[in-house]
Amino acid sequence: MSVTELRRIVPSVVSVVALAMGVSACGDDKSYAVPDRLCGVSVEPALLKPLLPAGEELKAEPRYVGDDEFPGSEGALRCMVTVDGKNALYIQEFSGQNSFDALEHAREMGFDRNPQKVDGMTNAVIADGKFLAVTPCGEKGKKSQVLDIEMIMPIGEAKDLRDELERFATAYLPAGKKNAGCEK
């Protein structure tokens, strides 16, 4: 191959590589603003962002549930986060619950997502795309607050975001408990 031919090919190859990189970068494009509140609970946008898919519009819609749907509960908050109308993240909080072992519960419920205890937390489990914590709520910790977060995505993708989910969930927990009246 002559130098002249090489000079013609190199710019074409560089253009194709640059175009391919640009296309793959667009797949991670989040045109929406990552919020600092989800359904009334303060969140850290930098911790939330990795858990959300690319898209143009994010919505977080709360749904409060009373005692009739969850007997023995002082109420619950369900927060469905959608991106472009597709479910992305589901957060459920239940206050006034009896305590239970989160890891045992995960195993009984058939978590097929490699559940493991969360380091540094007494009663919390992280799995591929799922987080569950049972923590004291209210006076003298007689009742518990349950935080259940699920990423709505294929398990393989969720597995790659396990550390990010744990960071988000452990940061969310105190704000969620405060919002539920468990902490002042």
Side-chain angles (χ1 to χ4, degrees):
M1 185 175 293
S2 73
V3 173
T4 306
E5 291 173 321
L6 192 56
R7 285 184 183 155
R8 278 188 246 153
I9 293 172
V10 170
S12 298
V13 171
V14 170
S15 296
V16 169
V17 170
L19 180 62
M21 289 174 67
V23 169
S24 64
C26 289
D28 194 30
D29 183 34
K30 292 178 173 93
S31 298
Y32 53 84
V34 178
D36 61 1
R37 295 186 75 73
L38 289 178
C39 301
V41 178
S42 294
V43 297
E44 178 58 49
L47 296 176
L48 175 60
K49 186 176 181 175
L51 307 180
L52 300 172
E56 295 182 16
E57 182 181 31
L58 179 140
K59 287 185 182 177
E61 299 180 30
R63 182 176 148 218
Y64 292 89
V65 183
D67 289 335
D68 56 333
E69 191 166 339
F70 294 95
S73 174
E74 293 169 5
L77 168 67
R78 292 179 174 170
C79 184
M80 178 56 74
V81 179
T82 60
V83 174
D84 295 342
K86 296 178 185 171
N87 296 343
L89 191 66
Y90 191 45
I91 301 171
Q92 297 185 96
E93 294 181 83
F94 305 94
S95 58
Q97 298 295 297
N98 292 325
S99 187
F100 59 89
D101 184 277
L103 184 57
E104 184 179 311
H105 177 76
R107 290 179 176 151
E108 286 175 5
M109 297 305 292
F111 275 27
D112 58 351
R113 302 173 179 196
N114 189 23
Q116 297 173 339
K117 289 189 85 85
V118 174
D119 289 338
M121 293 188 75
T122 305
N123 196 7
V125 174
I126 185 72
D128 298 339
K130 189 123 169 102
F131 178 91
L132 177 68
V134 181
T135 57
C137 176
E139 200 173 304
K140 299 180 186 173
K142 290 182 181 180
K143 293 291 183 174
S144 295
Q145 170 82 355
V146 177
L147 173 62
D148 182 4
I149 301 176
E150 185 168 357
M151 298 170 61
I152 314 299
M153 65 174 51
I155 299 296
E157 290 177 32
K159 180 179 181 179
D160 293 340
L161 295 170
R162 190 178 180 119
D163 291 340
E164 288 85 349
L165 174 59
E166 184 176 334
R167 278 191 290 277
F168 170 77
T170 55
Y172 179 98
L173 187 60
K177 288 178 72 168
K178 186 176 181 180
N179 189 57
C182 290
E183 295 181 358
K184 303 292 183 228

